[in-house]
Every structure is written in structure tokens, then in C-alpha cells.
């Protein structure tokens, strides 16, 4: 498995967070200052801002669901790969980095090797190069 494939959990998680933030912003806009007059409004007086916002919210929720499904599949795939590795230290490093999405400093601290951030990363790099 490549570093790019291993990193997909992180990137999918970031994308989901970005979509959730956008969804929260849209939902907050729906609550704040929305005047419901029963009349359509817009540039030409024919728009439906409430309906448009509701459609965007529904689309974002759907995108989030799709990405959550992708995330679960990728996490399972990566976890299966990690548990197949013989070296316990490498398994821990890969799990902390790619499943828990920790920084190198956090990985080192989790392994009780606070000052070994660079050596942990180098172990990781050597392992992936050897594959």
C-alpha cells in the first residue's frame, strides 16, 4: 500500500469536516434573519431563496453521507493492511498516523518517545520504501 493510499483517511476526514462546516453555515443562514413572506423573491422577483438553500443543504448532507461511506471502507482497508504487518512498532506507527490521523509529534508521544519524532517518521519512510 502506498503513502497516498494510506493518507486517504486523513483527506476524506478533512473533506467531511469541510462539508460539515459549509452545511452548518448554510443551516445558520436559514435560521438567522430569514423572513418568510410567502412571496418569492430574487433578482427578478421569481427566485426561491428558501428552496434553493434547502436544496443545497440536502445536497451537502448527501455528499457527507457518501464521503462517510468512503471513509469507512478506506479505514477498513487500511486497518486490514496494517494488521497484516509483522512488526508491532510499524503497525502502531501506521495506525496512529493513518487511522488516528495524528501528527508525527503526536505519534511519537503516543509511543512514549517524545523526542523521537524524526526517528519515528524515518522508520515509517524506510518501511514504505521497502514495500
Amino acid at each position: 500500500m502506498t503513502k497516498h493510499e494510506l493518507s486517504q483517511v486523513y483527506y476524506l476526514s478533512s473533506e467531511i469536516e469541510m462539508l460539515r462546516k459549509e452545511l452548518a453555515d448554510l443551516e445558520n443562514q436559514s435560521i438567522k434573519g430569514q423572513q418568510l413572506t410567502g412571496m418569492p423573491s430574487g433578482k427578478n422577483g421569481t427566485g426561491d431563496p428558501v428552496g434553493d438553500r434547502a436544496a443545497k443543504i440536502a445536497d451537502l448532507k448527501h455528499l457527507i453521507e457518501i464521503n462517510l461511506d468512503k471513509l469507512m471502507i478506506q479505514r477498513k482497508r487500511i486497518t486490514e493492511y496494517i494488521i497484516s504487518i509483522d512488526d508491532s512498532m510499524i503497525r502502531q506507527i501506521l495506525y496512529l498516523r493513518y487511522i488516528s490521523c495524528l501528527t508525527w509529534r503526536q505519534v511519537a508521544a503516543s509511543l512514549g518517545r517524545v523526542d523521537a519524532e524524526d526517528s519515528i517518521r524515518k522508520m515509517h519512510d524506510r518501511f514504505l520504501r521497502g514495500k
Side-chain angles (χ1 to χ4, degrees):
M1 187 167 284
T2 67
K3 187 175 180 180
H4 175 75
E5 291 171 308
L6 290 167
S7 298
Q8 289 308 297
V9 168
Y10 172 79
Y11 292 118
L12 282 166
S13 296
S14 294
E15 186 176 356
I16 290 166
E17 199 54 42
M18 175 188 71
L19 293 170
R20 284 180 172 160
K21 184 180 181 315
E22 187 176 344
L23 176 62
D25 290 346
L26 271 175
E27 288 175 335
N28 285 337
Q29 288 175 12
S30 296
I31 295 169
K32 287 189 213 170
Q34 184 66 49
Q35 293 183 340
L36 299 176
T37 62
M39 297 297 294
S41 63
K43 291 180 182 177
N44 298 328
T46 59
D48 181 7
V50 174
D52 291 345
R53 192 171 297 122
K56 286 179 185 177
I57 287 171
D59 289 345
L60 280 172
K61 286 181 179 180
H62 183 68
L63 277 174
I64 290 168
E65 285 180 33
I66 289 170
N67 281 333
L68 283 169
D69 289 342
K70 287 180 186 178
L71 177 63
M72 296 311 295
I73 291 166
Q74 193 65 15
R75 280 180 61 101
K76 183 178 188 292
R77 187 169 163 252
I78 292 171
T79 300
E80 287 172 356
Y81 169 72
I82 290 171
I83 63 173
S84 74
I85 296 168
D86 290 334
D87 187 310
S88 175
M89 177 62 86
I90 296 296
R91 279 196 311 270
Q92 291 176 70
I93 291 168
L94 293 179
Y95 187 87
L96 292 167
R97 179 69 176 173
Y98 295 112
I99 299 298
S100 299
C101 299
L102 300 183
T103 65
W104 287 117
R105 177 171 288 157
Q106 292 169 324
V107 170
S110 294
L111 295 172
R113 299 180 64 184
V114 179
D115 295 331
E117 177 181 339
D118 285 337
S119 65
I120 297 290
R121 184 184 47 77
K122 287 177 184 176
M123 287 173 64
H124 159 275
D125 292 346
R126 277 192 301 271
F127 175 77
L128 289 182
R129 273 195 308 271
K131 287 285 171 189

